[in-house]
Amino acid sequence: MTSRRIGAATLAVLIGSTALAGCSALPQGPDPLPSTFIPRVSASASADAGLVGGFAALERDALRVRVRTCDAYGTGSAFAIDATHAVTNAHVAEGATDITVTGYDGKSYRVTSSVLSREADLALLTIKDEFPNLVTLADEEPAIGDTLSIAGYPRGEALKVTSGPYFGETEDTVGEADDRVYQIDAETHPGNSGSAVANDDGDVVGVVYASDDVHATFAVSLPTLKNFLDNLDDAKRNRAECESQG
Amino acid sequence: MTDQSQPDAVVAEEPKPAPASGKKGLVVALVLVGTLALALGALSAYLWTVHSQYVAQNEELRAEAGDLGADVAASRAKAEELQTQVEATLAQLDEAKETINGLANSEAQAGDDRQALIDVADGLQECADLRQDMIDHLNEAYKWTASSLRAREADITTYCKKVTRAYKEIVDD
């Protein structure tokens, strides 16, 4: 008798335990659904967001320079560094009796005075009005292999942007300074002198001053440009002395 | 002698009462079966409830998926339409940019030409003034030596030829 009771009790315990253990394996009800299945995303800025009237910032910054000397006319390029000043090459502005700069939109600005660097092929033009588009100078020099862009007016004609890799440095063969200049694999022509050279961020890293008309463009380096702008007291005034016919 | 044919007297045994343990076992078994039946019933009810919840949620999800699919299809169609518009606008913008660039260039070239023409006009005016001055000198030729008058005339002629050449260059361009 006792053994049967024990057996029944054991069976009951086993059934009970099995039932309890089985509860844990029972499927649970579904979790409540989220309030929305649509993730929140923010619109990314378009690559063309910097366009104004179809012109990129570097294009809007480019200025065409018309120079009249005692006996000739010339053209070049420039870029505004603040509301009343623009940078170009010394060989563009030197000896000018009259200088006019024109923006990408055709608006003209009369240059009232100019100064020339004593060491590098750089000049600073001053106007009475205000330039609407200004460049930003880069904090760092470009690295070899960087793609650089040049915006200017080749041969004094329409605005054109060209670009190519910065492939090396060389000695300045035009200016009087014992200085290094950038070599860029990009096609430029007379008229591009004074064009801004910009990095991928659109910041200016140099100033075009010479080319071989094919695929080597030479540019004044960023440190030389900054040194010129930081020491304008050392610059010489740009004056033309024409012979009178009378 | 005893009659061996007569069976021995059989002592009838009284029926034994059913053992108590058997009844209890039956009761226990019935209880167990009942409990098991109840447990199975509860389990079935639970599973039915869970099943119903999943079915309801599945229907809800299907409806939501249908709505989202419709939204996606509408958004794709709208995006394609906008993309087409953007491409058309960009093409127009490129065209407008070319036009602006061309007009700005024409204006700049015209400015160059205007400046050159102004300078030539000034030069021609200067030339005329110099020649008038030469005539005045010739009217009072007795005041000047012939060689100085010839030198003066040569200078004026050189200057005027230079201006005329500049004018022809502009016209030829």
Side-chain angles (χ1 to χ4, degrees):
Chain A
M1 292 290 282
T2 308
S3 63
R4 283 187 180 179
R5 281 183 184 173
I6 291 169
T10 306
L11 184 62
V13 168
L14 277 173
I15 291 171
S17 330
T18 306
L20 282 174
C23 282
S24 63
L26 286 175
Q28 302 297 310
D31 291 331
L33 295 177
S35 59
T36 179
F37 289 95
I38 303 168
R40 183 177 293 277
V41 292
S42 54
S44 59
S46 165
D48 292 331
L51 290 179
V52 173
F55 289 84
L58 186 62
E59 293 173 309
R60 298 196 303 275
D61 295 337
L63 299 169
R64 180 184 190 270
V65 183
R66 179 197 305 141
V67 176
R68 183 175 57 163
T69 63
C70 295
D71 57 2
Y73 302 97
T75 63
S77 301
F79 54 93
I81 54 166
D82 62 37
T84 56
H85 294 99
V87 169
T88 186
N89 286 142
H91 79 257
V92 171
E94 191 163 22
T97 56
D98 183 73
I99 303 176
T100 303
V101 294
T102 311
Y104 76 99
D105 54 359
K107 187 174 181 185
S108 291
Y109 308 86
R110 178 59 58 91
V111 173
T112 55
S113 66
S114 57
V115 293
L116 310 175
S117 168
R118 294 180 188 278
E119 297 177 341
D121 192 355
L122 293 171
L124 187 74
L125 313 177
T126 305
I127 65 162
K128 221 178 217 180
D129 297 330
E130 290 193 356
F131 291 120
N133 302 297
L134 312 177
V135 303
T136 304
L137 297 187
D139 293 327
E140 294 179 355
E141 288 191 81
I144 299 290
D146 283 359
T147 297
L148 302 179
S149 298
I150 297 165
Y153 297 82
R155 302 186 186 93
E157 294 171 356
L159 171 62
K160 187 178 178 185
V161 176
T162 184
S163 60
Y166 162 45
F167 66 90
E169 294 179 347
T170 186
E171 293 296 313
D172 180 6
T173 55
V174 177
E176 294 176 9
D178 181 17
D179 205 356
R180 62 197 170 81
V181 295
Y182 302 148
Q183 288 178 292
I184 304 153
D185 186 3
E187 185 179 347
T188 55
H189 301 280
N192 269 118
S193 292
S195 298
V197 180
N199 60 20
D200 268 353
D201 297 328
D203 297 335
V204 171
V205 296
V207 184
V208 170
Y209 79 100
S211 85
D212 65 0
D213 261 359
V214 187
H215 280 299
T217 291
F218 301 90
V220 176
S221 70
L222 181 63
T224 303
L225 172 60
K226 286 186 172 178
N227 184 53
F228 169 59
L229 296 175
D230 289 342
N231 298 283
L232 287 171
D233 290 343
D234 297 337
K236 61 182 176 185
R237 290 192 65 77
N238 185 26
R239 287 180 184 169
E241 293 177 359
C242 303
E243 289 179 9
S244 164
Q245 280 300 318
Chain B
M1 286 269 303
T2 55
D3 186 359
Q4 294 292 323
S5 61
Q6 287 295 319
D8 294 337
V10 176
V11 179
E13 291 183 4
E14 289 181 9
K16 296 175 182 172
S21 60
K23 283 183 182 174
K24 283 181 182 173
L26 183 61
V27 170
V28 168
L30 287 172
V31 167
L32 282 175
V33 168
T35 305
L36 193 59
L38 282 174
L40 284 173
L43 180 63
S44 298
Y46 174 76
L47 289 175
W48 178 255
T49 303
V50 170
H51 167 261
S52 300
Q53 287 173 347
Y54 273 106
V55 167
Q57 193 175 78
N58 181 46
E59 286 172 1
E60 199 177 338
L61 283 171
R62 280 178 180 276
E64 184 77 18
D67 290 346
L68 288 175
D71 286 350
V72 168
S75 296
R76 280 181 182 163
K78 187 70 182 171
E80 283 172 14
E81 182 187 334
L82 289 173
Q83 181 67 30
T84 305
Q85 287 178 8
V86 165
E87 283 167 7
T89 305
L90 283 176
Q92 289 172 0
L93 200 56
D94 278 347
E95 204 172 318
K97 178 187 171 184
E98 287 304 312
T99 303
I100 291 169
N101 206 6
L103 288 172
N105 182 45
S106 299
E107 172 78 13
Q109 303 301 326
D112 292 352
D113 294 344
R114 187 168 57 239
Q115 183 63 61
L117 284 170
I118 289 170
D119 290 344
V120 167
D122 288 347
L124 289 171
Q125 180 64 51
E126 176 76 5
C127 177
D129 291 346
L130 290 170
R131 283 191 165 147
Q132 182 59 51
D133 189 51
M134 187 68 208
I135 291 168
D136 293 343
H137 277 66
L138 289 173
N139 285 335
E140 297 177 329
Y142 61 91
K143 290 184 179 178
W144 314 97
T145 63
S147 60
S148 69
L149 285 173
R150 275 197 299 276
R152 181 69 178 157
E153 184 189 11
D155 286 347
I156 292 170
T157 301
T158 302
Y159 175 71
C160 289
K161 280 184 176 174
K162 188 178 165 187
V163 174
T164 305
R165 199 163 49 244
Y167 172 72
K168 282 182 177 172
E169 281 177 11
I170 292 171
V171 171
D172 289 344
D173 282 348

